Amino acid sequence: MGIAGFEVMRHDVTFPLYVEVDQIYNLACPATPVHYQFDPVQTTKTSVIGAINMLGLAKRVKAKVFQASTSEVYGDPTVHPQTEEYRGNVNPLGPRACYDEGKRAAETLFFDYHRQHRTRIKVVRIFNTYGPRMHPNDGRVVSNFIVQALQGQPITLYGDGSQTRAFCFVSDLVEGFIRLMDSPDEVTGPINMGNPHEISVRELAERIIRLTKSTSAIEYRPLPQDDPTQRCPDITLARKLLDWQPTVALEDGLQRTIDYFAGLLTERGKSIL
Ligand SMILES: NC(=O)c1ccc[n+]([C@@H]2O[C@H](COP(=O)([O-])OP(=O)(O)OC[C@H]3O[C@@H](n4cnc5c(N)ncnc54)[C@H](O)[C@@H]3O)[C@@H](O)[C@H]2O)c1
């Protein structure tokens, strides 16, 4: 990388890691349904054994440890918007459970290490996040719609599009992570991070068609099993404890993401799919 003191290691978190560090950000986990359902047993192992290994490392070297949890811990929520107190509505047997329950078990481990070993923990529940450098083909709604729109292909919309999501731009989220890591030790989380501005998936598709000036039509497909109908963070706690809230408007963030994918398509053509 050419940055003094920077070292990159390739490591599977399901195996112990021995390094000397002050802070650990654990973001390791297959993160989209396409990826986490490909090998569901490995997904649960990554969250659970990965958490044990990262917490073990933090305990050993007395580091602060950050966990990328998820709004999926709320499952298909019956409370709206979701606050951190809400305990969720997860189907423990469904196809998303390897991810949802894996992340829930990881949270349990973080809080048990904190209570039992006084490990300094920082747990964030991330809501839908998007931005440049997403993988073009990992099945996320924003990247799917943008790539389809730029290629003039039908926009595949699951369900009738009335389900809502709230999208946070990546730079806002990263700012929140750093603020949480730098906060006093009593601030453990779990703390929601995401954009509380909610829109329907159909409206997202229409905006992307407009911003890309695409000729694509919307094509409706059946809703996948256990797909949440509503997802919107209550970020009162993040505002209060970290003075954090998203600053990038959806329109700006989408435009920056569209510019990225347009560049990728020019560079690599259809081979990105
Ligand atoms: N992007 C979102 O909207 C979102 C929402 C909620 C939670 N999260 C969480 O944030 C984290 C990062 O997600 P992302 O969106 O950047 O996805 P991503 O796919 O870009 O990053 C996940 C990374 O984890 C790595 N990984 C998977 N299994 C691993 C293992 N066993 N050992 C080491 N590395 C492993 C993958 O190689 C990948 O680089 C994930 O933990 C995800 O669950 C993301």
Side-chain angles (χ1 to χ4, degrees), residues 76 80 141 145 156-167 198-206 218-224 227-232:
D76 189 359
H80 197 73
V141 63
F145 285 0
T156 47
L157 203 159
Y158 296 97
D160 64 2
S162 63
Q163 69 273 31
T164 64
R165 295 290 184 274
F167 298 97
E198 193 178 7
I199 70 165
S200 73
V201 176
R202 194 188 315 110
E203 195 186 329
L204 176 75
E206 285 163 359
I218 295 177
E219 197 174 280
Y220 292 88
R221 302 261 178 93
L223 202 62
D227 199 55
T229 45
Q230 273 186 322
R231 199 44 92 51
C232 183

Side-chain angles (χ1 to χ4, degrees), residues 23-261:
Q23 298 183 347
I24 302 163
Y25 284 84
N26 181 31
L27 285 94
C29 189
T32 69
V34 177
H35 288 158
Y36 66 66
Q37 290 171 7
F38 173 73
D39 186 347
V41 173
Q42 185 60 26
T43 298
T44 305
K45 282 186 182 172
T46 297
S47 278
V48 176
I49 303 176
I52 292 170
N53 286 327
M54 292 306 106
L55 286 159
L57 173 62
K59 183 179 165 222
R60 216 162 33 242
V61 300
K62 298 188 170 44
K64 280 196 245 188
V65 58
F66 169 102
Q67 169 66 1
S69 191
T70 170
S71 56
E72 294 281 337
V73 300
Y74 301 124
D76 189 359
T78 53
V79 164
H80 197 73
Q82 292 83 54
T83 62
E84 289 82 355
E85 287 76 41
Y86 178 52
R87 293 189 185 169
N89 178 32
V90 173
N91 172 3
L93 307 178
R96 302 172 80 103
C98 58
Y99 183 72
D100 303 5
E101 297 289 15
K103 290 281 191 181
R104 286 169 68 97
E107 285 197 9
T108 305
L109 283 159
F110 268 71
F111 281 86
D112 280 338
Y113 265 76
H114 177 64
R115 280 186 291 260
Q116 198 173 332
H117 302 298
R118 292 197 293 280
T119 308
R120 291 177 296 158
I121 59 163
K122 304 283 178 187
V123 177
V124 59
R125 291 181 178 155
I126 305 166
F127 285 66
N128 275 339
T129 300
Y130 72 101
R133 300 176 68 193
M134 292 171 86
H135 195 283
N137 197 24
D138 68 5
R140 294 180 209 230
V141 63
V142 173
S143 45
N144 266 6
F145 285 0
I146 291 178
V147 171
Q148 289 167 338
L150 288 171
Q151 297 194 313
Q153 291 171 352
I155 307 275
T156 47
L157 203 159
Y158 296 97
D160 64 2
S162 63
Q163 69 273 31
T164 64
R165 295 290 184 274
F167 298 97
C168 184
F169 193 67
V170 61
S171 59
D172 280 332
L173 188 75
V174 171
E175 172 64 26
F177 287 2
I178 295 167
R179 285 190 192 201
L180 178 61
M181 190 57 116
D182 290 344
S183 63
D185 289 350
E186 323 70 90
V187 182
T188 57
I191 191 160
N192 288 338
M193 280 187 198
N195 195 325
H197 175 72
E198 193 178 7
I199 70 165
S200 73
V201 176
R202 194 188 315 110
E203 195 186 329
L204 176 75
E206 285 163 359
R207 273 202 203 192
I208 289 174
I209 291 173
R210 181 167 47 75
L211 288 170
T212 52
K213 301 183 179 62
S214 176
T215 53
S216 294
I218 295 177
E219 197 174 280
Y220 292 88
R221 302 261 178 93
L223 202 62
Q225 190 190 337
D226 294 339
D227 199 55
T229 45
Q230 273 186 322
R231 199 44 92 51
C232 183
D234 181 319
I235 59 163
T236 308
L237 200 62
R239 279 200 177 103
K240 188 172 136 214
L241 296 179
L242 309 173
D243 189 23
W244 177 87
Q245 63 182 3
T247 58
V248 179
L250 182 63
E251 204 89 350
D252 294 346
L254 283 178
Q255 191 57 61
R256 278 147 80 172
T257 313
I258 289 166
D259 293 345
Y260 167 76
F261 281 114

